Amino acid sequence: MTYHDTLFIGGEWIAPSTSQSITVVSASTEEVIGSVPEAVEADVDAAVDAARRAFDDPNGWPTWSPADRAAAMERFADELDKRAPEIAKLVSAQNGMPIAISSSFEAAFPALLLRYYAGVVKEATFEEEHPHMMGGTTVVRQEPLGVVGAIVPWNFPQSLAAFKYAPALAAGCTLVIKPSPETVLDSVPLAEAAAAAGIPAGVVNIVPGGREVGAYLVAHPRVDKISFTGSTVAGRAIGEVCGRLLRPVTLELGGKSAAIILDDADLDLATIGQDLFQATLLNQGQTCFLGTRVLAPRSRYDEVVDTFAALAGSLKIGDALDETTQIGPMASDRQRDRVEGYIAKGKAEGARVVVGGGRPSGQDKGWFVEPTIFADVDNNHTIAQEEIFGPVLSLIPYTDDADAIRIANDSDFGLGGSVWTRDRERALGVARRVQTGTIGVNHYLPDPTSPFGGVKASGLGRELSPHAISHYQQYKSIFA
């Protein structure tokens, strides 16, 4: 049981403006496991004011040399490492992520990103000179944007927060982070790590809350940039507000990616099983980039169906805190209802359930859904076009490579994807023609050194890679 009664604002743990709280329920047991104060508008004002003061301080974080910021970020990473087991357990207890996954992603990835961006900026100057075309010199500076509102989802709360704060800190920005109400307990060790690392007061502030708090932060007059990860519906609303305010925004949104199985693919699960699982069912489908549309050649369609049926049927379902669990529960009862609603739509539209389709036996508590494989799916079916965010795969037949590419591109989304084949050059040829921001060959795993983000309804802008720092900066030209 983890109970907190203060908010981390301005480098201190302060009393919230009201007695409202967010009660957290375990996705695996449906039992209350803790609570934190729920921020309201007055708390957001206080957090933004603290971030503003830290940014405007003549000796504050933006004025530090990149090397000094890098050293502080490395200390921050060290403090997160000390809290890694606690963070992994808190995330898994809240959202149902299997502990084996949270230990790799949620507990390790944030520190990795902090050290990566510290390394990127350690020797940087963010200033260069070149000859002015009309004579003299132009000095071009990359200056931090200011106060960043970072809105983080519940599926990978620590990793996706780090996608935002690591490059923002490297750029010299200050932050107000709003975690999702489903995953707020893990924000406490994050704040503790920042304080222990000596990150200056007001550089990192955390305001747990729901949609209303997020909307208030997005429109706040003293915020300079918004970085959001979440649904496309919410992203459109945020984009509209930022457009009216002429406020920079990064939107990492939904996906309905295609896993394209070419006709020469190796389908031996002993060889590809782990990679196939990570690319299609990781975190019980609660992962934005997963290839939940599996495109299979008609010449091997039955074989592909059998392969995915065997994969889904082999996965161990259980409590998220069990080290052997591969499929945990949905993050909330609302999310389980959503997934079950899509399963019902799939059946109603004529798709065939090969494996799963219900709740697993022996799980009397927790918001569990069986890994579900649909065969005989048409790409126009609802389950092939809308993001389900659960352990549900749609197997769609195609005739040749050109047809597979056409089907892959027949989607409102374009975030991830994968191509499975024994021929690397053929895979690259297919991958280049798929309309998506990222795509893997015989696996899928984002690379911190490469841009990550989507096209079409999957978002605007990019995260990760050295380029992400520039999304938290603005250019200034000085004509000397």
Side-chain angles (χ1 to χ4, degrees), residues 104 155 168 215 293 308 472:
S104 299
N155 60 328
R293 289 184 299 147
F308 276 91
Y472 296 93

Side-chain angles (χ1 to χ4, degrees), residues 20 28-29 46 127 131 138 196 213-214 251 317 322-323 325 371-372 389 404 423 468 478:
Q20 296 174 209
S28 294
T29 67
E127 185 171 298
T138 297
V213 168
L251 302 172
I317 304 170
D322 184 336
E323 294 280 355
T325 290
T372 300
F389 229 57
D423 186 336
I478 304 173

Side-chain angles (χ1 to χ4, degrees), residues 75-87 107 115 193 196:
R75 294 194 300 271
F76 192 178
D78 292 341
E79 293 296 333
L80 284 175
D81 282 342
K82 295 176 184 177
R83 295 162 176 79
E86 176 190 6
I87 288 171
R115 293 191 178 101

Side-chain angles (χ1 to χ4, degrees), residues 103-143:
S103 297
S104 299
F105 285 84
E106 296 296 273
F109 209 63
L112 181 153
L113 283 181
L114 281 167
R115 293 191 178 101
Y116 169 67
Y117 281 107
V120 170
V121 301
K122 192 172 293 185
E123 305 297 330
T125 61
F126 296 126
E127 185 171 298
E128 61 179 22
E129 293 186 11
H130 65 255
H132 191 300
M133 193 172 184
M134 303 303 176
T137 302
T138 297
V139 179
V140 179
R141 289 176 50 79
Q142 292 171 256
E143 298 182 343

